[in-house]
Amino acid sequence: MDGLILGIDLCDAYTQLVCEEGETSFTLPTVICKKKNEDKWLVGEPAYASALAGEGVMVDKLVKLVQKDGTATIGGVKYGGVQLMVQFLLQVLSLAKETYRTDQVRELFLTVPRIEPGLLQRLLQTREYLGIEKNRFHVISHTESFLYYVLSQKREVWNNQVGMFDLSADSLCYYEMKVQRGMRQSMVLAERERLEESFSLDILNSQSGARLADKILCSCGSRLLQKKLFSSVFLTGRGFENREWAREFMKLVCNRRRVYTEQALFAKGAVYRAADLLRDKSAYPFVCICEGRLDCTVAMKVISKDQENQLILAKAGDVWYESDIEVELILDHQDYLEFLITALNTNRKKAVKIQLEGFPKRDEKTLKVLVQLGFLDEKTMAVTVKDQGFGEFFPSTGALVRQEVML
């Protein structure tokens, strides 16, 4: 199938769009405006201009609006956050479609700073209105985008630990990634920390403010980078578009380290992730552990063909919000189910039992149950067990148990 492979970095201040077919990236403010007395929507700078001229009503901070399931009133009409996000994304997609002269979207990855369950659910709702098939639309965290961007570089860039500072209009965040090599398969760990030392970019407009910002970054850099061996350090975000104000910080990070800047890093990481999904064999032979993915494996001991085996229900590295598992089991004089949970990065193991209270007592191997397993987030598993009956002999009693398990 032909079509666009797209990565969209969706933030409250700005949105960036990158297509796999070219190096061109689009950056626009995350704002939308509806023209008065017209069914016409504008986004980015044209939206600002229209609102400034009094020709329309503008709404900003769209990601926050979607996250809190808020509304905005335009021309006496109340619009939900999801409705406005749909209109915004339609306009963003039209940029790529017009540039590459196609209406087909083969794969789309949205990347957002954090995977918050409410935001995730509502962003996934936009898919149908955008006309994109379910298996071609995904949402990932900035941490995962960072991981895929770095792994797409030359090996010497990520051979040891990799750090990154993201200085945006509303936050200062630090990312760190490392590869742990194993006998069977290597693992990549990536984490994000929002730093309390964040500052407004407006202070860079004065010399005294710039010196203070430089001092703050030097303090963060000394604390986060010391006593660690880094292959490279990346800088991204609006604050690093011009680095003249951060001379002391640049001296610090450039000391015996490779330092790279990339403004479209998260959008490009999302595109690399999208392109890899379409390959027959992944170009990233790692178990990736980061926000949005499980850091443990969930299994059960079962008997199959008179041999005890371990049934893997979910693996470390799986995307938790895309992991919905169903399995039918026949119990043999057992009034509970036991799940074995193994953390990949620490090898910590624990067993969790779910008692089947209210389930019928039946003859040997005639109690069949349906086990449904999903995740509320990367640390919480939801398990539902239903009595399936056993053919015509034992109809289902409707017995059901649901339990949340902390991983």
Side-chain angles (χ1 to χ4, degrees), residues 6-17:
L6 302 175
I8 297 178
D9 178 17
L10 192 60
C11 300
D12 259 330
Y14 64 89
T15 292
Q16 289 182 311
L17 165 69

Side-chain angles (χ1 to χ4, degrees), residues 91-234:
Q91 299 299 317
V92 172
L93 290 177
S94 69
L95 291 174
K97 291 178 179 180
E98 291 170 7
T99 300
Y100 296 100
R101 298 182 180 180
T102 178
D103 286 331
Q104 299 299 316
V105 175
R106 189 178 181 192
E107 203 71 45
L108 171 60
F109 270 72
L110 293 180
T111 179
V112 292
R114 296 293 308 270
I115 295 293
E116 189 276 328
L119 175 63
L120 172 66
Q121 179 185 3
R122 294 176 195 110
L123 286 178
L124 292 176
Q125 289 175 11
T126 67
R127 175 197 60 79
E128 186 175 350
Y129 301 99
L130 299 177
I132 301 175
E133 297 176 29
K134 184 177 181 180
N135 63 337
R136 302 185 186 279
F137 184 90
H138 306 268
V139 181
I140 60 175
S141 66
H142 272 186
T143 309
E144 185 164 343
S145 293
F146 161 66
L147 182 153
Y148 274 91
Y149 179 85
V150 173
L151 290 178
S152 298
Q153 310 308 308
K154 295 179 180 179
R155 189 181 184 89
E156 57 263 28
V157 172
W158 49 266
N159 198 42
N160 294 307
Q161 291 187 115
V162 179
M164 184 177 75
F165 292 89
D166 174 22
L167 179 56
S168 64
D170 58 359
S171 66
L172 171 61
C173 296
Y174 174 71
Y175 295 76
E176 194 167 286
M177 190 198 92
K178 59 182 177 181
V179 178
Q180 293 184 352
R181 294 170 178 81
M183 294 292 291
R184 295 183 178 178
Q185 192 169 21
S186 296
M187 175 174 60
V188 184
L189 298 169
E191 296 179 315
R192 171 188 186 267
E193 178 185 358
R194 182 164 180 155
L195 303 180
E196 295 179 356
E197 296 92 337
S198 177
F199 52 85
S200 170
L201 298 185
D202 291 338
I203 72 171
L204 303 180
N205 296 329
S206 68
Q207 290 186 352
S208 59
R211 286 195 297 270
L212 175 60
D214 194 9
K215 186 176 180 180
I216 291 172
L217 280 185
C218 283
S219 175
C220 293
S222 296
R223 172 171 58 87
L224 295 165
L225 303 179
Q226 67 178 349
K227 299 180 181 179
K228 293 181 180 179
L229 181 61
F230 284 84
S231 296
S232 58
V233 174
F234 286 82

Side-chain angles (χ1 to χ4, degrees), residues 114-372:
R114 296 293 308 270
I115 295 293
E116 189 276 328
L119 175 63
L120 172 66
Q121 179 185 3
R122 294 176 195 110
L123 286 178
L124 292 176
Q125 289 175 11
T126 67
R127 175 197 60 79
E128 186 175 350
Y129 301 99
L130 299 177
I132 301 175
E133 297 176 29
K134 184 177 181 180
N135 63 337
R136 302 185 186 279
F137 184 90
H138 306 268
V139 181
I140 60 175
S141 66
H142 272 186
T143 309
E144 185 164 343
S145 293
F146 161 66
L147 182 153
Y148 274 91
Y149 179 85
V150 173
L151 290 178
S152 298
Q153 310 308 308
K154 295 179 180 179
R155 189 181 184 89
E156 57 263 28
V157 172
W158 49 266
N159 198 42
N160 294 307
Q161 291 187 115
V162 179
M164 184 177 75
F165 292 89
D166 174 22
L167 179 56
S168 64
D170 58 359
S171 66
L172 171 61
C173 296
Y174 174 71
Y175 295 76
E176 194 167 286
M177 190 198 92
K178 59 182 177 181
V179 178
Q180 293 184 352
R181 294 170 178 81
M183 294 292 291
R184 295 183 178 178
Q185 192 169 21
S186 296
M187 175 174 60
V188 184
L189 298 169
E191 296 179 315
R192 171 188 186 267
E193 178 185 358
R194 182 164 180 155
L195 303 180
E196 295 179 356
E197 296 92 337
S198 177
F199 52 85
S200 170
L201 298 185
D202 291 338
I203 72 171
L204 303 180
N205 296 329
S206 68
Q207 290 186 352
S208 59
R211 286 195 297 270
L212 175 60
D214 194 9
K215 186 176 180 180
I216 291 172
L217 280 185
C218 283
S219 175
C220 293
S222 296
R223 172 171 58 87
L224 295 165
L225 303 179
Q226 67 178 349
K227 299 180 181 179
K228 293 181 180 179
L229 181 61
F230 284 84
S231 296
S232 58
V233 174
F234 286 82
L235 305 176
T236 191
R238 288 295 180 89
F240 290 122
E241 285 182 339
N242 177 4
R243 297 171 295 283
E244 285 297 316
W245 61 270
R247 293 181 180 180
E248 295 304 315
F249 174 71
M250 293 304 296
K251 289 179 185 177
L252 173 69
V253 295
C254 291
N255 184 19
R256 294 181 295 178
R257 304 183 187 94
R258 297 182 181 89
V259 177
Y260 304 92
T261 60
E262 173 55 69
Q263 287 302 312
L265 185 147
F266 295 122
K268 287 185 176 182
V271 159
Y272 296 149
R273 175 74 180 93
D276 190 62
L277 191 64
L278 298 172
R279 297 188 180 101
D280 293 332
K281 184 179 180 181
S282 174
Y284 309 92
F286 308 97
V287 176
C288 298
I289 306 296
C290 61
E291 183 185 358
R293 291 174 176 254
L294 299 173
D295 65 358
C296 60
T297 293
V298 180
M300 300 178 72
K301 289 182 180 179
V302 298
I303 303 294
S304 177
K305 298 180 180 179
D306 296 325
Q307 289 188 335
E308 185 177 282
N309 295 294
Q310 196 170 76
L311 175 64
I312 304 296
L313 299 173
K315 296 183 294 183
D318 286 351
V319 179
W320 64 262
Y321 45 88
E322 295 180 354
S323 298
D324 293 307
I325 302 99
E326 286 191 353
V327 59
E328 287 188 332
L329 301 173
I330 296 177
L331 305 186
D332 187 8
H333 294 302
Q334 186 170 307
D335 60 357
Y336 67 90
L337 294 179
E338 184 173 76
F339 297 88
L340 305 175
I341 301 170
T342 305
L344 185 64
N345 55 339
T346 63
N347 282 326
R348 173 181 54 85
K349 298 182 179 182
K350 70 175 181 178
V352 175
K353 286 186 178 181
I354 295 181
Q355 296 294 330
L356 300 181
E357 298 179 1
F359 277 65
K361 306 293 183 182
R362 294 198 182 121
D363 295 337
E364 180 180 354
K365 298 180 180 180
T366 58
L367 179 57
K368 185 167 69 171
V369 297
L370 174 66
V371 181
Q372 297 173 311

Side-chain angles (χ1 to χ4, degrees), residues 16-27:
Q16 289 182 311
L17 165 69
V18 173
C19 180
E20 191 229 12
E21 293 186 22
E23 289 298 318
T24 303
S25 64
F26 301 89
T27 302

